[in-house]
Amino acid sequence: MFTHEYWMKKAYLESLKAYQNGEVPVGAVIVKGNSILGKSGNQVEKLKDPTAHAEVLCITQACEQLSDWRLEGCSLYVTKEPCIMCAGAIRNARIKKVFFGLRDAKEGACGSRFDLLRDEKTGFFADIRAGIMEQDVKELFDEFFKKVRKQ
């Protein structure tokens, strides 16, 4: 049986690829059972697309793998707390388990600033766990933004 840390390491590898490509270092994987159905890092700069967040790209891949837009029974592992847009995509894809590393007090939509995946008004409740590999993710983010500020 694979652990949450095992899958988060896979997401972290995707965040390293994003970092190396000059993207904000967010990485994500979608898992069902013991299989990865989708994996991606941010590609906003590469694709010149504000919706090209790791979570959204990952959801698209997983939907293609399953030939279904419903990702019931899947889990999402992402290095940073999803934003409002990504939380909406997660909700629409019906992903009920979300695991992330770094909280985002400014834009986080999974409990830090907003809590869109556990909203009584919509009746959608996801299991959310934060803080997996948090220090590793924080160090990568700090390094990325330190590098960006120097330029």
Side-chain angles (χ1 to χ4, degrees), residues 16-131:
L16 288 174
K17 291 177 192 174
Y19 173 83
Q20 292 165 351
N21 290 322
E23 301 280 354
V24 175
V26 178
V29 297
I30 293 180
V31 177
K32 187 167 188 175
N34 291 327
S35 299
I36 293 177
L37 300 179
K39 63 182 181 175
S40 186
N42 274 1
Q43 295 184 37
V44 172
E45 299 298 332
K46 177 184 177 186
L47 299 176
K48 307 293 185 231
D49 179 354
T51 69
H53 288 198
E55 301 94 312
V56 173
L57 297 170
C58 202
I59 287 169
T60 299
Q61 289 177 17
C63 290
E64 288 174 2
Q65 284 291 315
L66 294 177
S67 297
D68 195 349
W69 60 269
R70 296 170 198 86
L71 298 180
E72 294 167 339
C74 293
S75 298
L76 171 70
Y77 291 84
V78 59
T79 54
K80 187 178 77 65
E81 182 175 1
C83 69
I84 292 172
M85 175 185 70
C86 292
I90 292 163
R91 186 182 175 285
N92 287 343
R94 299 180 179 167
I95 299 170
K96 294 267 187 145
K97 293 185 180 185
V98 177
F99 305 93
F100 65 88
L102 187 62
R103 293 182 186 277
D104 185 347
K106 184 179 174 188
E107 297 183 28
C110 296
S112 293
R113 170 92 187 209
F114 308 100
D115 203 357
L116 297 181
L117 298 182
R118 296 179 292 200
D119 188 342
E120 292 177 14
K121 293 177 184 173
T122 65
F124 186 87
F125 297 95
D127 294 330
I128 298 172
R129 180 173 163 201

